[in-house]
Amino acid sequence: MDPFHNPFIAEHAERARTIPLEEFSPANPKYMEMDVWRPYFSRLREEAPLHYCEDRIIGPYWSLTRYKDIMATEVNTKVFSSSSTFGGITLMDQREELPMFIAMDQPKHDEQRKVVQPIVSPQNLENMEKLIRQRTQRVLDALPRNETFNWVEKVSIDLTNMMLATLFDFPFDDRALLTYWSDSATANTLGGGHVDSEETRERILAECLAYFTRLWNERVNAEPGSDLVSMLAHGPATRNMSPREYLGNLVLLIVGGNDTTRNSMTGGVCFLNQNPDEYARLRANPALVEPMVSEIIRYQTPLAYMRRTALEDFEMHGQTIRKGDKLAMWYVSGNRDSAAIDNPDQFIIDRARPRQHLSFGFGIHRCVGNRLAELQLRILWEEILQRFSKVEVVGPPKRVFSAFIRGYTELPVRVIP
Amino acid sequence: MPRATFIDHAGESRTVEGAEGENLMRVAVLNDVPGIDADCGGECACATCHVFVDDAWLDKCGEPTELETSMLSFAATAQPNSRLACQIILTSALDGIVVETPVAQH
């Protein structure tokens, strides 16, 4: 049986074709969880590139779905704010503001971003490569043979939280907490998981802050180190942050360094199994790992959108986005826009300009860790090709209930030597 | 057609021709000059076509916009003569321009 067979797709393709657009809310987390989002977004790109809807949970919002419009909005930071003062970067307005530098405008954004940016300097990436490779080899060598296991848990989560522990110089044996806090920060409270309310989320994040406050206190009195906590504790733009702002920046760095890479590590296995000819071409020519990594990140789009809030009225596609309105830039849709990318629904491991995709965002908020993410994925696939003729998907993937995080909780696989 | 010389981080020099009015990033990409990633395709939105402009040519390139200055401030190893190649338009006045590409883009 095909593990990727989706029994819902035909019904949703029909619904996507016929639903009155004003009744359609693209941010319904079910579309991502059920993996039926494609026909809806393809219709929006075609018929309603600037789409308005009133969602009964998240309220009214606009959606942008074309590559070019998203790019133009990304660089128009004078009109489109990321600030947590207005609601930040996700559609659901928060009850209590959580400031973090991705959810700040200039100039404060720039000052805080520059504090942490050296962690992913070209020199630092070069220094980390050996460590990442050794860990990847260890994780892959320890995988069970001739038996089904969950790739998400044994590979994707393990590799990403080890990386994160290193970046924070976080106690290694406690590193599972990083994954737990990351998942808690992004969980949709209606998803049936351990975060069933905003109160639960706040309680868990308070534990995260308490733990990291201990690390801050150790490091603020020591010589400046090269880990993220030390950088924040000594950085001129961050050393006087409120605890709430420290928590916000921690959540940003934990989610940014964790969820996204983790889900691309899983996505790649899915896409190569769905495209056996591409897998064969990769095996025949391991040099294709490099362009493939960018293609995996495009095809996965681990963050489906980013939100902005209009600071003034703005005309687009004959409509007026009013001051104060919220707007989602759907990266997941722009990455499938045939006006910007040839055969966008095809997974092609050797595209001519593979880095031209929206998954990292663009402009001043472009993912600070993009080259590290690419490095981790490149090493993972180089080492997989050294060991296994195939990582075979043997059961259906389970996807996250979220309109924001495009990820997996489960991918049953076997590795074939 | 105006010519432009790109010197990579190892010191290797490549001189190519570009159409007048074309930006320097596109000139590099069309001629397969290494060291120019250009992730955003010329929208001044990624800072991966970062170049160091030879001092003799810097003034002739004009002033960077506010957006370019912001993007450059996030580029690793930015210096006073840093520019984004996608924002430099090749004209006859820039015929012979010399730029270096940073080690981060290779």
Side-chain angles (χ1 to χ4, degrees):
Chain A
M1 206 195 101
D2 174 11
F4 294 102
H5 173 70
N6 187 334
F8 309 106
I9 191 70
E11 172 198 335
H12 278 272
E14 176 60 16
R15 183 168 173 270
R17 204 173 58 76
T18 51
I19 188 172
L21 284 177
E22 62 277 11
E23 286 171 25
F24 175 63
S25 178
N28 183 337
K30 279 228 161 280
Y31 299 134
M32 296 300 174
E33 185 189 34
M34 297 167 78
D35 200 31
V36 295
W37 52 278
R38 252 172 55 187
Y40 293 104
F41 281 96
S42 124
R43 181 159 173 221
L44 288 182
R45 281 195 305 275
E46 194 92 350
E47 294 177 30
L50 174 62
H51 171 260
Y52 181 81
C53 75
E54 295 189 14
D55 186 283
R56 76 194 153 79
I57 296 169
I58 56 189
Y61 67 96
W62 298 90
S63 285
L64 281 179
T65 44
R66 290 185 183 167
Y67 188 103
K68 271 192 94 141
D69 292 336
I70 292 169
M71 180 71 90
T73 304
E74 289 266 33
V75 297
N76 192 355
T77 54
K78 295 273 184 290
V79 175
F80 296 106
S81 168
S82 296
S83 176
S84 55
T85 319
F86 309 115
I89 52 154
T90 53
L91 284 170
M92 188 76 94
D93 293 307
Q94 293 148 342
R95 229 173 298 175
E96 196 185 343
E97 187 184 346
L98 188 60
M100 54 178 85
F101 71 79
I102 196 176
M104 289 176 191
D105 293 334
Q106 292 177 302
K108 197 174 174 191
H109 158 270
D110 297 15
E111 292 156 10
Q112 292 203 351
R113 178 182 167 119
K114 281 171 197 166
V115 169
V116 298
Q117 188 152 311
I119 196 93
V120 287
S121 71
Q123 186 58 54
N124 222 27
L125 294 187
E126 215 177 298
N127 296 343
M128 284 189 286
E129 178 159 353
K130 197 171 152 203
L131 177 70
I132 297 172
R133 192 174 298 279
Q134 284 169 348
R135 284 177 177 169
T136 306
Q137 290 167 341
R138 257 204 317 269
V139 165
L140 295 178
D141 286 338
L143 291 175
R145 309 296 151 117
N146 303 313
E147 124 184 16
T148 298
F149 64 90
N150 180 6
W151 182 263
V152 175
E153 179 202 321
K154 286 218 184 303
V155 179
S156 309
I157 287 182
D158 211 22
L159 284 175
T160 45
N161 74 17
M162 280 195 276
M163 185 75 250
L164 210 51
T166 300
L167 298 177
F168 281 110
D169 193 12
F170 188 88
F172 207 67
D173 292 341
D174 282 351
R175 66 188 188 279
L177 284 171
L178 295 167
T179 309
Y180 172 66
W181 292 328
S182 178
D183 291 345
S184 303
T186 58
N188 187 308
T189 53
L190 305 174
H194 69 282
V195 181
D196 52 4
S197 68
E198 290 305 323
E199 288 72 28
T200 310
R201 191 196 321 274
E202 286 297 328
R203 184 180 51 71
I204 295 169
L205 291 182
E207 292 164 17
C208 170
L209 178 60
Y211 196 115
F212 269 99
T213 300
R214 288 200 300 277
L215 300 183
W216 175 291
N217 291 340
E218 283 166 26
R219 290 171 204 178
V220 74
N221 297 316
E223 285 298 302
S226 56
D227 65 277
L228 285 168
V229 175
S230 185
M231 284 171 157
L232 291 170
H234 292 275
T238 47
R239 64 185 172 215
N240 296 317
M241 286 186 290
S242 69
R244 185 81 187 159
E245 201 166 313
Y246 180 39
L247 175 63
N249 279 319
L250 289 168
V251 166
L252 165 60
L253 295 164
I254 293 172
V255 173
N258 189 43
D259 239 336
T260 52
T261 314
R262 179 212 302 182
N263 291 319
S264 297
M265 284 178 170
T266 306
V269 175
C270 290
F271 310 147
L272 285 170
N273 274 264
Q274 289 166 303
N275 297 275
D277 293 349
E278 294 299 281
Y279 207 162
R281 291 207 301 136
L282 176 69
R283 268 191 299 264
N285 182 8
L288 296 180
V289 165
E290 187 145 355
M292 177 185 75
V293 159
S294 291
E295 177 70 346
I296 288 173
I297 296 167
R298 177 187 77 90
Y299 213 67
Q300 180 60 34
T301 319
L303 297 177
Y305 73 88
M306 284 284 169
R307 169 229 173 124
R308 297 291 185 260
T309 308
L311 296 175
E312 55 190 71
D313 290 3
F314 192 81
E315 295 278 329
M316 205 191 284
H317 292 292
Q319 299 171 89
T320 306
I321 300 168
R322 299 277 172 207
K323 178 180 176 177
D325 285 358
K326 52 186 172 185
L327 170 79
M329 306 178 291
W330 289 97
Y331 298 151
V332 71
S333 169
N335 276 341
R336 300 299 181 97
D337 182 350
S338 58
I341 294 162
D342 291 336
N343 299 313
D345 286 327
Q346 300 295 311
F347 177 73
I348 302 170
I349 62 175
D350 54 351
R351 287 184 177 272
R353 304 205 55 76
R355 277 178 173 155
Q356 280 187 26
H357 62 71
L358 296 170
S359 301
F360 291 125
F362 277 111
I364 61 168
H365 295 286
R366 182 167 171 79
C367 175
V368 72
N370 58 351
R371 293 297 191 254
L372 175 58
E374 290 171 354
L375 177 66
Q376 289 173 269
L377 286 161
R378 174 168 66 78
I379 292 173
L380 174 62
W381 281 100
E382 284 170 356
E383 296 300 325
I384 289 173
L385 291 175
Q386 292 278 325
R387 283 165 180 72
F388 309 126
S389 63
K390 190 172 183 193
V391 180
E392 186 182 18
V393 177
V394 294
K398 286 207 177 86
R399 295 182 169 84
V400 176
F401 177 85
S402 169
F404 183 63
I405 301 279
R406 280 183 32 82
Y408 309 84
T409 53
E410 214 177 294
L411 184 69
V413 301
R414 268 167 191 261
V415 293
I416 301 167
Chain B
M1 287 202 288
R3 293 152 69 87
T5 298
F6 296 83
I7 302 171
D8 71 19
H9 66 283
E12 195 175 329
S13 163
R14 292 174 183 81
T15 300
V16 298
E17 286 187 342
E20 211 162 319
E22 188 70 276
N23 73 57
L24 203 57
M25 178 279 286
R26 294 250 316 154
V27 172
V29 169
L30 292 171
N31 288 287
D32 293 320
V33 175
I36 301 283
D37 291 342
D39 294 5
C40 79
E43 305 287 336
C44 195
C46 70
T48 62
C49 65
H50 178 197
V51 293
F52 305 112
V53 180
D54 186 280
D55 285 339
W57 298 93
L58 192 57
D59 288 345
K60 296 195 180 96
C61 293
E63 285 295 310
T65 61
E66 209 179 315
L67 177 62
E68 185 184 345
T69 306
S70 285
M71 292 311 299
L72 274 170
S73 74
F74 301 127
T77 68
Q79 294 172 15
N81 64 337
S82 288
R83 290 294 307 264
L84 296 181
C86 72
Q87 302 301 301
I88 298 175
I89 307 299
L90 202 58
T91 58
S92 55
L94 289 182
D95 185 12
I97 185 172
V98 179
V99 301
E100 281 178 55
T101 53
V103 65
Q105 294 160 199
H106 65 89

